[in-house]
Amino acid sequence: MINWVLRGALILWALLFLIIGGTGFVDPASYQQQFGILVEGVAVNTLRADLSAFFLVSSASAVIGALVPGWTRALLVPAALYGTALIGRLFGAASGDIVDGNIMQAMIIEALSVALMLGSWLMLSRLGAATEVAVDTVH
């Protein structure tokens, strides 16, 4: 039962970031509204490519880790990406960057995303290993 709850949470998480990444891919100016990033000139292409890739790869990896048997390690991809983003924000805050409510919200989302990915990876990989042992003992 817990595995389906985790898989459902992962799919919802992936859907949210698929929407963010897909919207930014089609309309990079949406990042200005969502993240306060000034989008003009050559920055449009960079945001379309790089920031969208961050969200789309994270989303796809979460879906693969949630749904494909034996591929729970894919959950480590978004954990690493969001963990790195969180470390970058913490470093920036320690270095004197402005930290407002939006930055705090992003840090909370990143921390919760890392916790969801690592916790799900741990639980689903253990459930998968237990299932393999049970199948091996039957054969």
Side-chain angles (χ1 to χ4, degrees):
M1 175 69 169
I2 188 72
N3 64 339
W4 289 110
V5 172
L6 288 173
R7 292 175 201 281
L10 290 167
I11 298 301
L12 291 175
W13 182 94
L15 181 61
L16 169 67
F17 289 104
L18 174 66
I19 291 168
I20 292 171
T23 301
F25 188 82
V26 173
D27 179 20
S30 69
Y31 290 133
Q32 184 170 354
Q33 298 164 347
Q34 293 172 338
F35 303 109
I37 298 171
L38 185 59
V39 181
E40 58 185 33
V42 295
V44 172
N45 187 269
T46 300
L47 286 174
R48 179 187 318 272
D50 298 345
L51 198 54
S52 296
F54 178 90
F55 293 117
L56 295 173
V57 168
S58 294
S59 178
S61 297
V63 169
I64 290 168
L67 298 179
V68 179
W71 280 72
T72 55
R73 286 189 196 143
L75 297 172
L76 298 177
V77 172
L81 289 170
Y82 282 82
T84 304
L86 178 59
I87 290 168
R89 288 189 196 278
L90 292 170
F91 179 80
S95 299
D97 291 355
I98 296 172
V99 178
D100 62 3
N102 291 333
I103 299 298
M104 291 300 297
Q105 178 183 1
M107 291 170 69
I108 291 167
I109 290 169
E110 289 158 358
L112 291 173
S113 293
V114 170
L116 175 64
M117 295 303 134
L118 291 178
S120 296
W121 167 71
L122 184 64
M123 294 294 294
L124 293 174
S125 61
R126 285 184 178 180
L127 290 169
T131 303
E132 289 175 12
V133 169
V135 169
D136 287 342
T137 58
V138 171
H139 290 114

